[in-house]
Amino acid sequence: MSYKSLWQGRIDSEDGDAGRRWHQVVEFQDTPYKAAGGLCLVGYPNDSGVEANKGRIGAAQGPDALRQAMANLPWILAGKLFDIGNCTIHCELAETQQDYASRVSEALRANKVLGLGGGHDIAWASYQGLNKATDGIGNIGIINFDAHLDLRKPAPSASSGTPFRQIAEFSQRNNKPFHYACLGASLAANTPALLDYARTTGTRMLPDTQFSVEGAIECLTPMLENVEHLYVTVCMDAFPASVAPGVSAPSALGISPQDTVQIIQWLGNQCRARGLKWVLSDIAELSPGFDIQGATARLAGRIGFELANAMHG
């Protein structure tokens, strides 16, 4: 099935433009060069990184499930909506990430981008795309809603558990500051080795047991004072398995979706007030084969809706 055929939904023709939904405004472009002046969706239908991290495979179907979940959302943004399809999947994870990063960097020249994962190895690819699009100028703040720190050593190979360590090591090699915050990290899902590395790199962490809007504001405000660009990534395994069963690694406890939405909205307001450039977000680890009645996909779609609105303001 072509990804284009997934964009279907209700039509309220009696309401005119005020009744439009995402499926009615989306435009398809075969290349990022042709997309300009809006929100650009880029798919990353890959779960080889999840498999390498010994997770439940199935996130490769995540982008299409996200498209279906977002198709019926009301369109309330100024500008256009583009879907430029999926990146090319290669035998080597690094090549797939490079292809995605290239698409993101080109799309960012004239758009804001929402990435549709795929495993959380999308984060290393997203960061590379943003770093290239900004020509390496300005500090990038990374905010990750996740039960896992994803700071594993990329040995013997990179995986969905290594992206932020890859970013940390890249930053060190290039004398760049590493601004990373993980909101919702589970102490029951991260080893002492990962926690030690987090402390060593100055990672900001808000545990799932302390997750709240107020806690996030306290955690993130100092970082926002030291960055020019913002990249936000949401791993669907951050949420309770009872709410989001269709993920690569279900969470026993998880964080509140309502608080997550409020934090995303707060971030949008902060970026406008501080003049920060928030042009890139993505959603990872949606695994439709394990979903129950589409609950996880619907939540992921709502998260996509909030990210898009917060980035545009």
Side-chain angles (χ1 to χ4, degrees), residues 216-287:
I217 292 174
E218 182 178 354
C219 176
L220 297 177
T221 297
M223 186 177 78
L224 296 181
E225 294 172 352
N226 292 286
V227 300
E228 288 76 45
H229 307 282
L230 191 64
Y231 160 48
V232 178
T233 178
V234 180
C235 185
M236 293 306 297
D237 71 17
F239 305 106
S242 58
V243 174
V247 298
S248 302
S251 290
L253 186 60
I255 61 176
S256 161
Q258 291 87 350
D259 285 350
T260 298
V261 166
Q262 290 184 44
I263 294 166
I264 290 171
Q265 293 172 347
W266 174 80
L267 282 170
N269 291 332
Q270 286 293 301
C271 286
R272 286 185 289 279
R274 296 171 180 270
L276 303 182
K277 297 178 181 178
W278 180 7
V279 295
L280 176 63
S281 302
D282 55 46
I283 300 170
E285 305 278 343
L286 169 60
S287 190

Side-chain angles (χ1 to χ4, degrees), residues 136-223:
I137 299 172
N139 295 333
I140 296 174
I142 305 163
I143 299 174
N144 176 29
F145 292 85
D146 201 337
H148 306 93
L149 290 166
D150 288 343
L151 289 169
R152 295 181 184 275
K153 294 180 180 178
S157 65
S159 73
S160 62
T162 66
F164 303 107
R165 188 163 188 141
Q166 290 173 273
I167 296 171
E169 292 177 349
F170 172 87
S171 299
Q172 184 178 37
R173 290 193 303 271
N174 291 275
N175 297 313
K176 295 172 66 70
F178 179 57
H179 295 290
Y180 171 50
C182 184
L183 308 183
S186 168
L187 296 181
N190 293 279
T191 64
L194 296 174
L195 296 172
D196 286 345
Y197 187 77
R199 284 188 285 269
T200 299
T201 55
T203 295
R204 299 180 184 277
M205 186 176 74
L206 181 64
D208 53 1
T209 53
Q210 300 172 30
F211 187 82
S212 67
V213 176
E214 294 76 14
I217 292 174
E218 182 178 354
C219 176
L220 297 177
T221 297
M223 186 177 78

